[in-house]
Amino acid sequence: MRINVRAEIGPGLLIAHCGGITLHPEVVIGRHCDIAHHVTLGTRGAGSQGAPKLGNNVYVGANAVLIGPIRVEDGAMIAANSLVNRDVPAGATVMGVPAVVVKQRTVKEIAQAPEVTL
């Protein structure tokens, strides 16, 4: 794993399988997020500015790549093998290359979702 000490990581981060994870120094991760193996959170390329900012209770599936100055809002889910290069709204499930919204939970559903606690 390559997790830079400057990355801002909230409490309760779950990394169940710790292989191949790379986090850029500018990454911000909210509370109670779950990051699977072989995930990259970084910039769009060498010399580019801006890295992803994850809200609370975000799930990032295996082999997903999140690049650029994007925001992934609370309760969002990123499917395995997805390329996320634009903002993800709260409660959305995205997948694909590039990732698109395939499911959108309501504000009520997000509020009722159990929070991951460790």
Side-chain angles (χ1 to χ4, degrees):
M1 293 192 328
R2 298 174 79 190
I3 299 176
N4 192 286
V5 297
R6 293 187 332 203
E8 293 180 40
I9 300 173
L13 175 64
L14 174 62
I15 300 176
H17 301 281
C18 60
I21 295 172
T22 302
L23 303 182
H24 188 274
E26 297 175 21
V27 164
V28 176
I29 298 174
R31 297 178 8 207
H32 305 296
C33 291
D34 182 349
I35 297 178
H37 55 288
H38 295 283
V39 166
T40 299
L41 304 178
T43 62
R44 292 191 172 144
S48 296
Q49 297 294 316
K53 295 183 183 344
L54 278 56
N56 300 322
N57 301 306
V58 171
Y59 171 77
V60 183
N63 298 308
V65 175
L66 288 71
I67 56 171
I70 62 172
R71 291 197 54 82
V72 179
E73 300 293 339
D74 295 349
M77 296 182 193
I78 312 300
N81 299 308
S82 294
L83 170 64
V84 182
N85 59 3
R86 62 184 76 125
D87 292 346
V88 177
T93 299
V94 299
M95 67 172 40
V97 178
V100 295
V101 176
V102 295
K103 181 179 179 182
Q104 178 66 59
R105 293 184 293 160
T106 65
V107 172
K108 183 178 179 182
E109 291 171 324
I110 296 168
Q112 292 174 343
E115 186 173 285
V116 177
T117 56
L118 299 174

